[in-house]
Amino acid sequence: MYLPSATESAVEKDNTTNKEVHRKSKEKQKQENCMATVDQKVTIDCPWSIYSTIIALTFCIPFNAKHSLLSAGKRKYVQVCVQNLSELCFQLSENSLKKSADCTDLQLVPLNRESQQVIYSKQSIFFVWELKWTKELPLSLQCLFSVSFCPATSEEQSLILKPFTYEFQVENFFTLYHVKAEIFPPLGAEYCKTGSLCSLEVSITRLVDLSEVDRDEALTESD
């Protein structure tokens, strides 16, 4: 997404005070938008002029994506979170998650809505796929997430934009712990009631041994 900015030739004509004001306003705008930006410069040469015009372009990345591996019993899921970093509202459609070609025994079953979704400013939307395998899980899984988007306003929906893509790799499919929590009513009572002191029982069972890296991370988190 391109956000218009002043040309460099015009900025150079300003005095030092105007330059400082322009820089601070630009930094303030970036902080308020909280968007990742990519700055580019385009040089325009005219055949009837000996001077070149340099135009500064700032492209803003509208989305941020992150993934996580979820586990519930023997079932596993891949979750992708898409966050709208811009001040605009977008319409999302045609989401997909493709895996590496060598994982033929693994299937990604989508659990998402097939209809279009509107993602508002600073909002996050989650997409989930269930992992289903026939033999055994691979050591690592290379994934490519893709979703089509366009501005939610009706007058700008005709814009043709490339889909937003996010590539990531999932490793360590093994479930390390099984966690179970249960709340019990007081002795002699059948149900838990407001104001009564109830007990919470949490059971954590280690299913597989920790590797060297996981053991170090576990010690760090416990501290």
Side-chain angles (χ1 to χ4, degrees), residues 68-82:
S68 58
L69 180 64
L70 309 179
S71 177
K74 296 183 179 180
R75 307 176 69 178
K76 299 183 184 297
Y77 307 86
V78 173
Q79 176 181 274
V80 177
C81 173
V82 177

Side-chain angles (χ1 to χ4, degrees), residues 67-195:
H67 69 279
S68 58
L69 180 64
L70 309 179
S71 177
K74 296 183 179 180
R75 307 176 69 178
K76 299 183 184 297
Y77 307 86
V78 173
Q79 176 181 274
V80 177
C81 173
V82 177
Q83 182 184 11
N84 185 2
L85 302 178
S86 71
E87 301 295 335
L88 304 176
C89 300
F90 295 98
Q91 188 168 274
L92 305 182
S93 61
E94 300 177 358
N95 62 83
S96 65
L97 183 64
K98 297 181 180 180
K99 56 183 175 60
S100 51
D102 52 348
C103 300
T104 56
D105 297 330
L106 181 66
Q107 291 183 346
L108 295 173
V109 181
L111 305 179
N112 314 302
R113 296 172 51 186
E114 297 181 357
S115 58
Q116 298 179 345
Q117 289 180 280
V118 176
I119 180 171
Y120 297 94
S121 175
K122 305 300 185 292
Q123 183 190 19
S124 297
I125 290 184
F126 296 86
F127 301 92
V128 181
W129 286 263
E130 183 178 359
L131 296 174
K132 291 190 175 182
W133 59 96
T134 55
K135 296 182 180 179
E136 60 182 8
L137 286 172
L139 298 178
S140 63
L141 179 64
Q142 194 73 24
C143 298
L144 177 62
F145 170 77
S146 175
V147 61
S148 300
F149 71 99
C150 66
T153 55
S154 57
E155 61 271 10
E156 295 180 348
Q157 287 186 358
S158 59
L159 294 177
I160 300 177
L161 303 173
K162 291 184 178 180
F164 171 76
T165 58
Y166 170 64
E167 189 174 359
F168 61 93
Q169 185 173 346
V170 179
E171 297 178 342
N172 298 329
F173 288 91
F174 300 102
T175 302
L176 300 180
Y177 297 98
H178 177 264
V179 181
K180 181 181 179 181
E182 193 171 359
I183 300 178
F184 297 95
L187 294 176
E190 186 177 0
Y191 304 103
C192 296
K193 297 181 179 180
T194 304

Side-chain angles (χ1 to χ4, degrees), residues 38-49:
V38 178
D39 295 327
Q40 298 287 347
K41 293 182 179 179
V42 176
T43 303
I44 299 178
D45 296 324
C46 298
W48 55 82
S49 176

